[in-house]
DNA sequence: CGCCGGATTTAA
DNA sequence: TAAATCCGGCGA
């Protein structure tokens, strides 16, 4: 885990790390880096607002936002305080607490895609606005812990950012565990 | 103050 | 391929 590094490095370092809440442990398998005010795909692109306030705070905090009227998205704030760098957690594997995850996800059985997608990750952890700004490095609530990094990492352009400039859309800031099945759209990813 | 559209998911 | 569903940010 190297949260103070540049966007892409910080994002890569989060692969394999663990998200723990209660009995549930998720292993992060896919992430996307967001580069602050200069990144036209970032929520920080219009400067500091009430919604994106946690992004501007210290690294290791959560930034949660509501999207498409129904999904919560979990980000880990990275970089030095004030730079508004963040990493979106896009997918994960369930290590513990499968029953709890199945209940929250309204699923009946574990599949590789159970937590593949940012909305699914937040739902699996039972997250909502009350976790916005939460310190992920402190005990209690939702925690980010060290786990083994993947052996192979694949990278590609970020998803769902058609509104950004062509240059920012092309940035290969989406990273995934090359050996995990819990990653959608694998074809868009290539070895690093 | 009203409109536009989104870092998505799901089912048809 | 489209509907679900809501709020943030911008322009008027």
């Amino acid at each position: 885990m190297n949260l103070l590094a540049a966007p892409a490095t910080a994002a890569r370092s989060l692969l394999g790390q663990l998200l723990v809440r209660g009995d549930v442990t998720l292993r992060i398998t896919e992430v996307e880096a967001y580069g602050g005010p200069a990144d036209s795909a970032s929520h920080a692109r219009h400067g500091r607002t009430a919604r994106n306030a946690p992004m501007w705070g210290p690294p290791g905090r959560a930034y949660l936002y509501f999207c498409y009227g129904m999904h919560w998205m979990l980000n880990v704030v990275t970089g030095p305080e004030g730079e508004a760098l963040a990493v979106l957690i896009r997918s994960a594997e369930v290590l513990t607490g499968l029953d709890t995850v199945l209940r929250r996800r309204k699923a009946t059985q574990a599949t590789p895609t159970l937590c593949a997608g940012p909305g699914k990750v937040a739902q699996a952890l039972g997250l909502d606005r009350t976790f916005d700004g939460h310190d992920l490095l402190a005990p209690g609530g939702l925690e980010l812990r060290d786990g083994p990094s993947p052996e192979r990492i694949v990278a590609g352009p970020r998803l769902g950012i058609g509104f950004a400039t062509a240059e920012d859309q092309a940035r290969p800031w989406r990273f995934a565990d090359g050996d995990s099945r819990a990653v959608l759209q694998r074809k868009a990813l290539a070895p690093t």
Side-chain angles (χ1 to χ4, degrees):
Chain A
M1 212 174 341
N2 187 5
L3 297 184
L4 282 172
T9 303
R12 290 178 60 126
S13 79
L14 280 168
L15 290 174
Q17 310 303 300
L18 310 177
L19 288 165
V20 182
R21 183 186 178 207
D23 64 319
V24 173
T25 304
L26 300 187
R27 175 179 177 274
I28 298 170
T29 55
E30 182 189 2
V31 296
E32 278 177 2
Y34 284 86
D39 179 1
S40 65
S42 170
H43 285 180
R45 64 188 179 277
H46 297 303
R48 182 172 188 149
T49 65
R51 177 174 69 152
N52 68 25
M55 296 181 83
W56 305 81
R61 299 282 180 83
Y63 164 49
L64 275 115
Y65 70 94
F66 195 53
C67 191
Y68 293 106
M70 60 195 79
H71 303 295
W72 287 96
M73 309 284 185
L74 170 64
N75 291 255
V76 176
V77 176
T78 67
E81 183 167 354
E83 295 200 6
L85 306 183
V87 173
L88 172 69
I89 309 302
R90 280 203 67 93
S91 62
E93 294 168 351
V94 181
L95 295 190
T96 69
L98 179 61
D99 289 346
T100 301
V101 171
L102 289 175
R103 174 168 46 77
R104 288 178 179 150
R105 291 274 303 116
K106 299 182 169 65
T108 54
Q109 60 178 322
T111 65
T113 58
L114 182 62
C115 300
K120 294 178 181 178
V121 171
Q123 189 177 50
L125 290 165
L127 305 182
D128 58 26
R129 74 178 72 244
T130 63
F131 288 83
D132 191 31
H134 183 85
D135 184 355
L136 299 169
L137 305 180
L142 176 65
E143 296 178 37
L144 182 61
R145 296 189 194 158
D146 280 308
S149 297
E151 293 189 10
R152 294 193 315 119
I153 294 179
V154 290
R158 295 171 290 180
L159 303 180
I161 56 164
F163 55 88
T165 66
E167 183 183 9
D168 285 330
Q169 286 190 56
R171 227 174 273 283
W173 278 3
R174 176 185 175 219
F175 302 96
D177 178 343
D179 297 304
S180 174
R181 296 177 66 201
V183 177
L184 303 178
Q185 303 196 37
R186 295 283 298 274
K187 291 164 293 187
L189 299 167
T192 53

